[in-house]
Amino acid sequence: DIDRWQRSEYPQKSLTLTLCLKRSRLLCIITFKYLHKIEFAVDSSVFIYLVYSEMWTIWIQKMYFKLKWLFYQIYTVLHVFQKTYRRDLATITKLYQCLPVYKRQCERKPIYESFRKIVKDHPQKAAFLFEDECWTFSAVKELSNKIATYFEGEGYKKGDAIALLLGNCPDYICIWLGLSQIGVPVALINTNLLHDSLIHSIKIANCKGVIFGSNSAHANADLVKKRLNVKCYQYNRKSEATPIAENCIDLKNKIDTICPSGSLKGRHNILVTDPVLYVYTSGTTGLPKTVPVSHQK
């Protein structure tokens, strides 16, 4: 019959011989599409039963090991989750809190534009709590607008730098925030610097003016005026009654006469890559060096 089948006497022949070595047993699977047309010396139904029973056994064993592997993976994932879910939840919470900052960075707007949006949304919300004072976002905006209007009228333009030597207070932030509106970066200088270190810090940032606090004006204003010939301003807070130094301009008195709702005269075309602050290195290897901080940072 095999010879007759090979001579194509049976139509639509289909023969598959597969030899599989599985668990030290040789399994011979013979499948004929028209098995009933071929006569064997052995009973074909018995042979097919043995073949399919062996295949069923192998399939069950495979499924057993696959299910065992699957349950092991599920156990591993649940075990790791039980150990780390607190940390993961804390991380997700922190990332969610950082989304507004990331969104503002993607908008690529100057820092004062982002601040104006916050003021618009929360005008009476507390921005700073300093000693017994409570500064709302509206109050910060008013003072920063006065600073911007005054120094624009003084002739400062984009790229001019001003040094700031002021103690810890909300006015400190309002001053550099206001100057950022007209593109004037602020060099944040340590109030403990004196003599050559102070002169170097002002000179290396190419500052056109210096704003002193009430504590540092009398000690440093004369020296800065003589050696650098730049404008010096003294800023006294409301609670301070320190006399104005000889070579200083009373900045607080000047800005009090300015309307806080006034708008700037010119358009300064400030980019997020422009510097808004200058910070200084520690100077352990020599004199301090400036590091610009842009609006984007």
Side-chain angles (χ1 to χ4, degrees):
D1 290 338
I2 295 296
D3 293 337
R4 294 173 62 190
W5 180 81
Q6 289 178 348
R7 291 196 300 269
S8 301
E9 295 184 11
Y10 291 100
Q12 300 180 5
K13 60 182 179 179
S14 174
L15 173 65
T16 303
L17 296 177
T18 305
L19 298 178
C20 301
L21 186 61
K22 186 71 175 178
R23 296 182 178 277
S24 302
R25 285 179 292 179
L26 182 62
L27 175 63
C28 180
I29 304 174
I30 303 176
T31 305
F32 289 96
K33 194 171 184 179
Y34 295 96
L35 191 60
H36 62 281
K37 295 184 178 181
I38 303 177
E39 297 177 0
F40 285 97
V42 296
D43 189 356
S44 60
S45 61
V46 175
F47 177 76
I48 293 174
Y49 172 77
L50 294 175
V51 169
Y52 279 96
S53 63
E54 185 68 20
M55 292 175 61
W56 178 255
T57 303
I58 295 174
W59 182 82
I60 291 177
Q61 291 176 352
K62 288 183 177 180
M63 291 302 298
Y64 169 75
F65 287 110
K66 286 183 179 180
L67 290 174
K68 184 178 179 180
W69 176 84
L70 179 62
F71 282 116
Y72 176 75
Q73 295 296 323
I74 294 174
Y75 168 78
T76 303
V77 171
L78 292 177
H79 179 72
V80 173
F81 176 77
Q82 188 269 336
K83 294 290 185 181
T84 61
Y85 78 94
R86 293 184 180 88
R87 179 199 63 189
D88 296 340
L89 288 177
T91 303
I92 293 173
T93 303
K94 294 296 183 182
L95 290 175
Y96 179 77
Q97 293 174 352
C98 293
L99 283 179
V101 178
Y102 176 75
K103 184 178 179 181
R104 286 196 293 269
Q105 289 181 346
C106 293
E107 291 176 352
R108 300 185 65 83
K109 293 181 179 180
I111 188 171
Y112 66 87
E113 291 287 351
S114 301
F115 178 74
R116 287 176 181 174
K117 184 177 180 181
I118 297 175
V119 175
K120 183 178 179 181
D121 296 337
H122 311 283
Q124 300 304 320
K125 187 176 181 179
F128 302 112
L129 297 176
F130 179 73
E131 296 178 350
D132 57 345
E133 303 175 10
C134 179
W135 286 63
T136 63
F137 283 103
S138 296
V140 175
K141 180 184 176 182
E142 290 180 2
L143 181 55
S144 61
N145 287 347
K146 290 181 178 181
I147 292 291
T149 303
Y150 173 74
F151 281 97
E152 184 188 41
E154 287 287 293
Y156 290 89
K157 58 185 183 300
K158 179 180 177 180
D160 295 338
I162 291 181
L164 179 61
L165 290 88
L166 190 64
N168 182 28
C169 60
D171 311 67
Y172 188 94
I173 299 175
C174 297
I175 290 174
W176 67 256
L177 185 61
L179 291 172
S180 69
Q181 298 184 38
I182 59 175
V184 175
V186 178
L188 307 179
I189 299 179
N190 191 338
T191 55
N192 294 321
L193 292 182
L194 299 171
H195 307 300
D196 292 339
S197 297
L198 175 61
I199 297 300
H200 170 78
S201 299
I202 298 173
K203 189 175 181 180
I204 196 174
N206 195 23
C207 296
K208 306 297 183 183
V210 182
I211 300 175
F212 292 100
S214 58
N215 296 329
S216 57
H218 291 272
N220 300 312
D222 291 340
L223 176 66
V224 172
K225 187 70 175 179
K226 291 178 181 178
R227 296 185 59 176
L228 297 178
N229 193 25
V230 296
K231 286 187 177 181
C232 296
Y233 304 88
Q234 180 176 336
Y235 183 85
N236 289 346
R237 304 192 70 243
K238 292 181 179 180
S239 58
E240 297 173 342
T242 306
I244 303 300
E246 182 179 354
N247 294 317
C248 289
I249 300 172
D250 188 355
L251 181 59
K252 180 64 176 176
N253 186 40
K254 294 289 185 181
I255 64 175
D256 283 343
T257 60
I258 298 175
C259 178
S261 59
S263 58
L264 299 177
K265 297 179 180 179
R267 300 185 62 181
H268 302 279
N269 298 322
I270 301 171
L271 305 176
V272 293
T273 55
D274 293 334
V276 61
L277 297 172
Y278 287 125
V279 295
Y280 292 84
T281 60
S282 59
T284 54
T285 59
L287 294 173
K289 300 177 181 62
T290 57
V291 179
V293 180
S294 66
H295 287 262
Q296 189 173 13
K297 294 182 180 180

